[in-house]
Amino acid sequence: MELLRLATAGSVDDGKSTLIGRLLFDTKSLREDQLAAVERTSHARGDEYVNLALHLDGLKAEREQGITIDVAYRSFATAKRRFIIADTPGHWQYTRNMVTGASTADLALILVDARKGVLEQTRRHAFIASLLRVPHLVLCVNKMDLVDYDAGVFERIREEFRQFSMKLDVSDLSFIPICALGGDNLVTRSAKMPWYQGATLLHHLENVHIASDRDLIHLRFPVQGVIRPASAKKFHDYRACTGQLLGGVMRPGDEVRVLPSGFTTRIKALEFAGRPVAEAFPPMSVSVLLEEELDVSRGDMLCRPGNPPTVGQDIDAMVCWLSDQTVLDTGARLAIKHTTRVARALVKQLHYRLDVNTLHRDEQSPGLKLNEVGRVTLRTTAPLFFDAYRRNRGTGGFILIDESSNATVGAGMIHGPAVER
């Protein structure tokens, strides 16, 4: 069954956790003990209704303040599709957590409070979702009950966001008026909004086309490890490369090239979960047995001989800075993790800081602070095997690590090899 990963986004109190809780309830994905726990907590808090958002708010601080701080993951399934939902925080201070949740999403649900309209954080999250190349965006205009289900309010917000989205790189954008608390237009169509003739949220999630979002042309298999059993006799000559396929399709008999050595060989067999398979495609994690005993180790990459990734040490990238302890500026030295490869990186130049509200480029910015986005040129100590993030999110993305604290301080999206300016 096909898997859809989705993430919520939007400002504080726009109803993200309530939407997910209600969606799980209406699809009968909450167990009896989970629902009972939510009912008990709602009663203890003095809520006048069963607050389904509490199912997502696992931290004590989240329940006390009624906000999301950490990313909460929930899964459910229908007859058509499996889903993994990342409930991300709306507060500006925790934008970095939103980046984490949206980085692997196929679809982003951007919520807007019908009373407040499009806010600064709405635009910030929409921009980050487009920067992370989330292929599908759905703007959910929530709390329609508080504006008397007025079609004019929905149309005004839709037009305002549509105008803003024209500045972004968004390929698929949909709009749905909802009331997450009452379940209107989530699983079943709302009789209170007869003027809306579109799909319900669940119908849209079940039918949005995601198969073409993945790169099935350019073979990219970063090697995570090598399996070589040393005990059982029947596995005496067994040697397999393991990892997650990030692009292309692999089949036994296919010719592949190993980077960085450049040697070519053919695929002898493929295994998934310990069983032979006839082919592998993204995002499967598989074991690859090669016909020849080549020197292959963690950090190497398998590709097609005539279709390799870019190999280089100088890259241009957009970086979202995630640290409140340090600032990213020219000359900074950090560790970089790209696919399964780790190296050190020098920030050769910070070209500009991007204002996520106006998309204005500030070329005089001295550095990037927490949650700010900018264009940089990096020089790495070892060659990376990469593609533009636009083509492949897996081989085009990386993280930056502060070596003194081992904390992840930046998330990057590669534009391509650096050019002299």
Side-chain angles (χ1 to χ4, degrees), residues 312-315 331-338 341-348 377-384 398-404 406:
Q313 294 176 253
D314 294 287
I315 59 175
R333 298 176 183 273
L334 302 157
I336 183 171
K337 185 179 185 302
H338 173 261
R341 203 165 178 82
V342 178
R344 288 187 173 90
L346 169 69
V347 180
K348 292 181 64 176
T377 294
L378 300 176
R379 170 76 175 181
T380 62
T381 56
L384 304 182
F398 61 86
I399 60 173
L400 297 172
I401 302 168
D402 184 340
E403 292 187 285
S404 62
N406 205 34

Side-chain angles (χ1 to χ4, degrees), residues 73-115:
Y73 292 92
R74 296 294 183 271
S75 61
F76 73 101
T78 65
K80 291 186 176 181
R81 199 171 252 174
R82 293 187 299 122
F83 303 91
I84 296 179
I85 309 176
D87 182 29
T88 70
H91 196 284
W92 177 87
Q93 182 180 350
Y94 305 113
T95 300
R96 55 188 173 186
N97 292 0
M98 180 269 173
V99 173
T100 300
S103 61
T104 58
D106 303 302
L107 181 147
L109 298 176
I110 302 177
L111 270 72
V112 173
D113 187 327
R115 301 168 300 171

Side-chain angles (χ1 to χ4, degrees), residues 109-173:
L109 298 176
I110 302 177
L111 270 72
V112 173
D113 187 327
R115 301 168 300 171
K116 302 175 182 177
V118 178
L119 303 177
E120 177 181 337
Q121 191 70 337
T122 312
R123 291 189 288 269
R124 177 179 286 111
H125 280 192
F127 169 72
I128 291 175
S130 69
L131 187 67
L132 292 171
R133 301 293 298 172
V134 178
H136 309 277
L137 301 186
V138 179
L139 186 79
C140 297
V141 182
N142 191 24
K143 304 186 182 182
M144 289 297 297
D145 56 320
L146 301 182
V147 295
D148 298 323
Y149 305 100
D150 188 346
V153 173
F154 172 70
E155 291 296 336
R156 175 180 58 79
I157 294 175
R158 180 171 69 172
E159 180 59 22
E160 181 181 359
F161 188 85
R162 190 185 69 81
Q163 290 293 333
F164 174 73
S165 69
M166 292 174 66
K167 304 176 184 178
L168 308 177
D169 192 358
V170 178
S171 57
D172 179 32
L173 176 61

Side-chain angles (χ1 to χ4, degrees), residues 16 40 47 50 52 73-74 77 90 105 117 128 133 137 141 157 166 208 221 259 299 322-323 401 407:
K16 297 180 291 297
R40 286 195 304 270
D47 294 338
V50 178
L52 295 171
Y73 292 92
R74 296 294 183 271
I128 291 175
R133 301 293 298 172
L137 301 186
V141 182
I157 294 175
M166 292 174 66
V208 64
F221 184 76
L259 297 177
L322 310 177
S323 173
I401 302 168

Side-chain angles (χ1 to χ4, degrees), residues 190-409:
S190 173
K192 301 171 183 176
M193 290 178 276
W195 43 266
Y196 174 70
Q197 299 299 313
T200 63
L201 178 60
L202 182 63
H203 183 271
H204 182 82
L205 295 179
E206 286 183 324
N207 293 279
V208 64
H209 183 67
I210 62 173
S212 60
D213 297 335
R214 298 184 174 93
D215 180 9
L216 301 178
I217 304 299
H218 308 88
L219 177 62
R220 303 292 185 261
F221 184 76
V223 178
Q224 184 175 8
V226 177
I227 299 177
R228 183 65 191 269
S231 55
K233 290 184 178 180
K234 67 176 182 177
F235 294 120
H236 182 72
D237 295 321
Y238 185 95
R239 187 171 184 267
C241 306
T242 62
Q244 184 181 36
L245 185 57
L246 301 181
V249 178
M250 292 195 298
R251 299 180 181 87
D254 286 352
E255 187 178 20
V256 293
R257 172 172 292 170
V258 181
L259 297 177
S261 68
F263 290 112
T264 59
T265 184
R266 292 188 179 275
I267 297 175
K268 181 179 179 181
L270 295 171
E271 294 181 355
F272 175 73
R275 297 180 179 179
V277 292
E279 66 177 9
F281 48 85
M284 291 175 62
S285 295
V286 294
S287 298
V288 181
L289 287 79
L290 303 176
E291 289 186 352
E292 298 181 44
E293 295 288 338
L294 298 180
D295 180 11
V296 182
S297 59
R298 180 181 176 87
D300 292 355
M301 179 178 285
L302 304 185
C303 63
R304 299 272 184 240
N307 186 13
T310 302
V311 180
Q313 294 176 253
D314 294 287
I315 59 175
D316 267 350
M318 296 294 292
V319 171
C320 181
W321 193 243
L322 310 177
S323 173
D324 57 358
Q325 303 295 319
T326 58
V327 175
L328 179 68
D329 54 10
T330 300
R333 298 176 183 273
L334 302 157
I336 183 171
K337 185 179 185 302
H338 173 261
T339 64
T340 58
R341 203 165 178 82
V342 178
R344 288 187 173 90
L346 169 69
V347 180
K348 292 181 64 176
Q349 186 176 355
L350 170 62
H351 299 287
Y352 57 80
R353 179 186 64 84
L354 195 64
D355 187 318
V356 298
N357 297 305
T358 63
L359 303 185
H360 171 71
R361 298 180 179 183
D362 179 9
E363 298 182 355
Q364 305 304 317
S365 176
L368 300 182
K369 300 178 182 178
L370 174 65
N371 296 328
E372 292 185 336
V373 177
R375 181 78 171 262
V376 300
T377 294
L378 300 176
R379 170 76 175 181
T380 62
T381 56
L384 304 182
F385 316 129
F386 61 88
D387 297 284
Y389 193 82
R390 174 184 295 273
R391 171 183 288 180
N392 190 311
R393 295 167 73 187
T395 58
F398 61 86
I399 60 173
L400 297 172
I401 302 168
D402 184 340
E403 292 187 285
S404 62
S405 63
N406 205 34
T408 300
V409 293

Side-chain angles (χ1 to χ4, degrees), residues 56-72:
L56 283 298
D57 296 337
L59 300 178
K60 182 180 179 181
E62 292 178 322
R63 298 193 173 196
E64 289 176 347
Q65 301 179 55
I67 64 173
T68 299
I69 297 175
D70 199 6
V71 182

